[in-house]
Amino acid sequence: MASNSSCATCLRTLRHQRLNAPTQQPYTAIFRPLTHHRAFSVSSSPSAAQAVPQPSPTYTPSAANRPPKSSHPPKTNAPRSKVLPASAKIAAGVHKLAPSITETYVAYGVCEKLVKECASQANYTIPQRYEKNGVIPKTADGQDLGVGKGWWYESLGLTPTFNNWAQITFLHMYILTVRLRAFPPSAAPSWHQHLLDHFFYAAEDRMVREHNVYSRMVRNKYLKDLFTQWRGVLAAYDEGLVKGDAVLATAVWRNILYGREDVDLKGLGEVVCYMRGVLKGLERMRDEEIGKGEVVFGDPSTQATIVEARSQMMDTLPEEGEVVPKK
């Protein structure tokens, strides 16, 4: 009897505990979606809320339990405008300008080398400038007279003065300018400008170093005159290249020999032939070689044999006193 009552009491106790036990909540796996959309179901069906099974290593969620699809339209490949920060805009601008900036720096350094090569063809010094109480000699027209060597002074008979140095330098700069015109249109203007700028730097330095011209106002006046002469040189030599050697020789005679009557015709012919030959040599050089400053000038004496050779057209000229019939 006691055992039966005990069993009945135990059964009632167990039934009471079972009825009062808290309802076990379904297990939900920890999941952090990569997007900002909600990753749980919003269905009002009770079965949908109870559809999450216990996790298992090989479990693959069914379509009913997957996160709902985004309400946003699907991504496309169409370009979208993005608002770039200020630093990105600056970086993009520098990237676009990088080729032109690099070209400018390269042109600046190489043109300095090229101008030195041009100026060295008629280099001169004034020793009295460095002597204590030294008196600088003058030419008949009042120019400072220096001491120079080379074909232009020793063979052509020019005097080592600042003006002659400038004109001979201009001649070689013009030859380079013709070759630089064949550079790409985006790069050529920078090379032309730096070539001219470095000449003016060299000319101003020579005014101070060799001629004691310390006044900036006086130097600027000379530099303006040189720029005017340079424009005239470009026009005169361009015309000569187009119209022929006779016109080119006339331009050289006016600019280098100042239109003197006692001109050395053989020397004048050597200068014209020299200009043609150097232009032809530069034409055979690649832009990369010019861009590295690999240009070395010679002197017009190398053209002496060509100038002395008898032209075949001389044989077609009429003899003295011979009458040529009209055609």
Side-chain angles (χ1 to χ4, degrees), residues 43-60:
S43 173
S44 60
S45 173
S47 60
Q50 302 295 330
V52 181
Q54 295 294 329
S56 63
T58 60
Y59 171 71
T60 302

Side-chain angles (χ1 to χ4, degrees), residues 162-163 166-167 170 199-200 207 218-232:
F162 180 84
N163 286 338
Q167 288 298 326
F170 277 162
F199 167 77
F200 286 130
M207 291 180 195
V218 176
R219 295 200 304 270
N220 288 339
K221 179 180 179 298
Y222 284 136
L223 292 177
K224 290 180 180 179
D225 292 341
L226 288 173
F227 180 73
T228 303
Q229 294 176 28
W230 168 247
R231 302 299 295 179

